[in-house]
Amino acid sequence: MSEKVLMKGNEAIAEAAIRSGCKLFFGYPITPQTEVSAYMSKRMPQVDGLYLQAESEVAAINMVYGAASTGARAMTSSSSPGISLKQEGLSYIAGADLPCVIINIVRGGPGLGGIQPAQSDYFQATKGGGHGDYHLVVLAPSTIQECVDLTYKAFDIADEYRVPVMIMGDGMLGQMMEPVSFPEHDDSVTFDKSWACSTTGMKRKKNIVNSLYINPDELENLVWERQKRYDLITEKETRAESFFCDDADIVLVAYGTIARVAMNAVKKARAMGIKAGLIRPITLWPFPEKEIQKAAATAKSFLSVEMSTGQMVEDVKLAVNGKCPVEFYGRTGGVVPVPQEILDKIVEMSKKL
Amino acid sequence: MQKEFIISGFGGQGILFIGKLLAYTGMKNNYQVSWLPSYGPEMRGGTASCNVIISDDAIGSPLVTEATEVIAMNSPSFVKFEQSVAPGGTLYYDSSLVSPNPTRTDITYIGVEATKLATEMGMGKLANMFLIGKVLKESKVFEMDVIFEALKGLVPAKKPELYDLNKKAIEAGANL
């Protein structure tokens, strides 16, 4: 465990990626994630890696497509409007079964929107912004330390299942500084890269990376094979944290930095004698349905808190499956809710119990 | 301990740096800390501000809405954040730049002629350090030697003379 340093979320993600063995980064600047690119441009030459500022976000994701085809660990990062531009590339990368990591430091939308923190890209990230039967694994850190830990994890999940993995934070997480340490990265774990298009001097049959299959039967088989991997990811990689849920009447569900704001509200509610709890999804896809279902067995109502007009609330409702009411509280456009307004909503709900 | 700061002023006054000094000192002394800057387009030539929390416990919301200490280095900041001081808290301001018009009776106001005094001592760019010196002395959030120790870690290794200058400015502010 290294000594603690004070770092921005954006810088911590970049450093963690390098320590994970990522030597190829393709970026394009956009607020509020530009520090990822800036940090990479400084550090990559020091570790014999490549930092390349592409001519556009579209180019950057296609460079990742090419780099990942060689079996190397590759990454790109952007913020909401730039991530929209990358969607075609993401679908192709998923269709070609390539591992890679994409960072989305979300800002207000739609369109160019604003530059302040938001969570309104949840649908795009978890439901597939590109076309076809595919998923991104979506990880949602809530602290700068978790940015580091989940970046390590993201590369391993990507390589193990040959899928693209997204780390989704918001502008606040990208810009704020907290103490962080970089655990020793376990380089002893290796992954099968026999599929990679890397130079072997003609010693084996050539590998092909491709997402085009004209024969429907062939494509169907491949899509179902991939679906089995998604099922395995759901079974093995789903993550969430629960606080005070054992006896909670009102269970809040919130992710990322908003989970921290919600936690303040939950503690204040408890101090007032209201039995509130919190579930914090760490993986947004796969969504932690089991944790929600477990809490729904005893809870009297749920409250999804988001920086959007209500996106994750749909997954909460699916998991609760009608067992009790699911309410929503959200701010959007770059406005970050404060604990008091969430507490007001909890108090209002407690009167209906 | 739970101290929540809002530090605000013009871009270029070293607002973000004194926030970083507080957060870094907290980290070095095993507190939980967070440092959240405003990052809007207003930063260039306009207002810069940051929120710093120093706590014994894990930090929830990094946004400060009820500050134990507000530090205002220009008039717009004084007006904007006066209502964000928690009851019983303190609003520090640079009285050479701010014409105060206090509207509350439940908080303490402390004005320091930081920019004027710093300029007179030939350290015009270190008015932020004068002010933070006063804040540290009054709030007792950290002992002076703890701050100076941390300051060593923030001064660029290639410019060690900056350490002495900053230390001198903090001491001068504390002795006002």
Side-chain angles (χ1 to χ4, degrees), chain A residues 3-6 8 31-32 115-117 171-172 175-180 257 260-261 264 268 336-339, chain B residues 16 20 23-24 27-28 31-42 57-63 65-66 154:
Chain A
E3 195 188 349
K4 281 199 167 165
V5 287
L6 201 57
K8 285 190 171 196
T31 305
I115 59 171
Q116 298 299 325
M172 195 157 48
Q175 294 295 324
M176 68 187 275
M177 289 200 289
E178 284 183 326
V180 66
T257 35
R260 300 168 58 155
V261 183
N264 282 24
K268 284 183 180 176
V336 181
V338 298
Chain B
L16 300 183
K20 191 174 175 182
Y24 185 78
M27 178 183 80
K28 284 289 175 192
Y31 289 105
Q32 305 285 330
V33 300
S34 66
W35 175 94
L36 176 70
S38 61
Y39 64 91
E42 77 277 11
D57 303 315
I59 293 166
S61 173
L63 273 176
T65 50
E66 292 184 330
L154 286 182

Side-chain angles (χ1 to χ4, degrees), chain A residues 212-283:
Chain A
L212 175 66
Y213 299 91
I214 294 297
N215 180 337
D217 292 331
E218 190 186 3
L219 181 56
E220 187 187 35
N221 285 340
L222 283 165
V223 172
W224 279 118
E225 183 278 322
R226 189 173 304 120
Q227 185 59 40
K228 279 184 192 157
R229 271 183 282 141
Y230 289 144
D231 292 344
L232 200 60
I233 292 169
T234 304
E235 185 191 319
K236 293 174 83 170
E237 306 294 347
T238 308
R239 288 167 175 226
E241 258 187 338
S242 295
F243 304 94
F244 314 119
C245 281
D246 290 345
D247 67 338
D249 292 330
I250 301 171
V251 174
L252 279 70
V253 186
Y255 69 93
T257 35
I258 296 314
R260 300 168 58 155
V261 183
M263 188 65 167
N264 282 24
V266 164
K267 283 182 177 167
K268 284 183 180 176
R270 283 269 166 183
M272 292 166 69
I274 299 170
K275 287 182 180 172
L278 171 68
I279 295 175
R280 179 175 76 88
I282 297 170
T283 52

Side-chain angles (χ1 to χ4, degrees), chain A residues 15-212:
Chain A
E15 179 62 30
I18 288 171
R19 288 176 189 237
S20 301
C22 173
K23 293 285 179 70
L24 302 167
F25 177 84
F26 307 93
Y28 192 80
I30 180 171
T31 305
Q33 69 77 49
T34 299
E35 291 83 359
V36 179
S37 262
Y39 191 89
M40 286 297 197
S41 72
K42 190 175 67 185
R43 278 282 283 147
M44 276 301 192
Q46 296 170 0
V47 296
D48 244 355
L50 172 78
Y51 163 80
L52 199 157
Q53 182 173 315
E55 67 270 35
S56 72
E57 288 88 345
V58 177
I61 191 68
N62 283 293
M63 288 171 183
V64 169
Y65 186 5
S69 304
T70 69
R73 288 190 156 180
M75 183 169 112
T76 184
S77 77
S78 193
S79 178
S80 308
I83 295 291
S84 288
L85 286 166
K86 293 182 195 289
Q87 293 304 320
E88 181 196 51
L90 284 175
S91 171
Y92 278 57
I93 288 168
D97 291 318
L98 294 176
C100 68
V101 174
I102 306 103
I103 312 299
N104 184 5
I105 301 298
V106 182
R107 58 189 248 181
L112 272 180
I115 59 171
Q116 298 299 325
Q119 296 183 318
S120 41
D121 295 359
Y122 180 92
F123 281 154
Q124 184 193 54
T126 62
K127 311 294 177 187
H131 60 280
D133 284 312
Y134 84 98
H135 287 287
L136 299 175
V137 175
V138 185
L139 308 177
S142 71
T143 64
I144 310 302
Q145 185 62 54
E146 206 179 19
C147 285
V148 170
D149 299 342
L150 290 182
T151 301
Y152 284 10
K153 189 75 191 161
F155 280 100
D156 286 351
I157 291 175
D159 271 344
E160 184 166 352
Y161 302 97
R162 290 180 64 183
V163 292
V165 178
M166 175 176 279
I167 296 174
M168 194 158 85
D170 59 61
M172 195 157 48
L173 197 66
Q175 294 295 324
M176 68 187 275
M177 289 200 289
E178 284 183 326
V180 66
S181 61
F182 292 88
E184 200 67 35
H185 188 265
D186 184 1
D187 296 326
S188 67
V189 186
T190 54
F191 300 92
D192 173 30
K193 299 268 178 163
S194 59
W195 48 266
C197 296
S198 50
T199 316
T200 58
M202 310 289 276
K203 284 179 187 137
R204 58 151 165 77
K205 196 165 167 281
K206 70 179 177 187
N207 285 333
I208 296 174
V209 165
N210 174 39
S211 72
L212 175 66

Side-chain angles (χ1 to χ4, degrees), chain A residues 250 274 344-353:
Chain A
I250 301 171
I274 299 170
D344 290 345
K345 178 69 181 174
I346 297 172
V347 170
E348 177 201 314
M349 286 172 69
S350 73
K351 288 175 184 158
K352 290 189 268 184
L353 293 177

